[in-house]
Amino acid sequence: MPDSNGRLAIGIVGCAGRMGRMLAKLVTETRDVQLVGGTGRPGAKEVGIDLGTLAGLSALGVACGDDPDALFAGAEAVLDFTAPIASLAHAKLAAKHRKIHVIGTTGMNADDVAALQRSATDATIVMAPNMSLGVNLLLALVERTARSLGAGWDIEIVEMHHRMKVDAPSGTALGLGRAAAKGRGVDLDEVAVKTRDGVTGARAEGTIGFATLRGGDVVGEHRVIFAAAGERIELGHIATDRAIFARGAVRAVLWARGKPPGLYSMKDVLGL
Ligand code: NAD
């Protein structure tokens, strides 16, 4: 519930994680919101430690707990960057207490999304595997551009990430590919070309190509190239700071205030 100043009372599950700590810092720096609690897994070393201390700030007088049910009961909204199985359990609590639940956790499959949809009958859930405002705008622009341009325009997606990243192409690059395919009215799985090596033959019309670069500490760069005879359009996004994901989550939670239960995305938050 709102505090006496009308600020949105926010809890953070997984408050000792990389994103959890970043969210705690941002929430304490943001007007109109107040950090009222956080949780770690039962028995985790962060349980009992002040949320400010965990986030590298001065103490806030709020300790990390281990009871998400109590957290959802006491907060108006909960931010969740944890793990799929945890986020699904949290969504049930959001439904039980009829609260706002902003989920940034990645790796959800279709069954997981269907379960979230069921919780969203009673909870206001915003879920996005990439909370960056810029990336979500880029997704919309890519879909729209692909819709306007015919299959005579070749689409190539180039991404670069830090040397520690283990999967390729990135989830965001695949999301951009899906947006382009949707704009064209095709299924990405049927037109994607994820590797090229040796004598590949000429480029097949209508395919969507991917190129993956890895190196250094690059947070994330994505470029979508639409190339035709004599001209080229390039749409891109460069992330330099992981704080963009936390900022997107805080924007989502403020947007969700007062919205009816449902499963929303960053597209809804941005009005795209
Ligand atoms: P992390 O491993 O640093 O943090 C995850 C935290 O969740 C850990 O502290 C872990 O103990 C906690 N956790 C797991 N299960 C829990 C439970 N049942 N109860 C309470 N806490 C629990 O990872 P991270 O880098 O912070 O990323 C977390 C998730 O967010 C991943 O799925 C990642 O891919 C995703 N992510 C999404 C975005 C986005 O924009 N949507 C951006 C960055 C990361």
Side-chain angles (χ1 to χ4, degrees), residues 42 85 138 149 154 159-160 163 165 178 183 193 239:
I85 194 162
L138 180 63
L149 304 173
D154 301 326
E159 58 106 333
M160 180 160 187
R163 60 164 74 106
K165 187 162 178 65
R178 274 191 294 278
V193 176

Side-chain angles (χ1 to χ4, degrees), residues 237-250:
H237 179 265
I238 296 175
T240 55
D241 186 348
R242 286 185 179 79
I244 59 174
F245 307 122
R247 279 190 216 110
V250 170

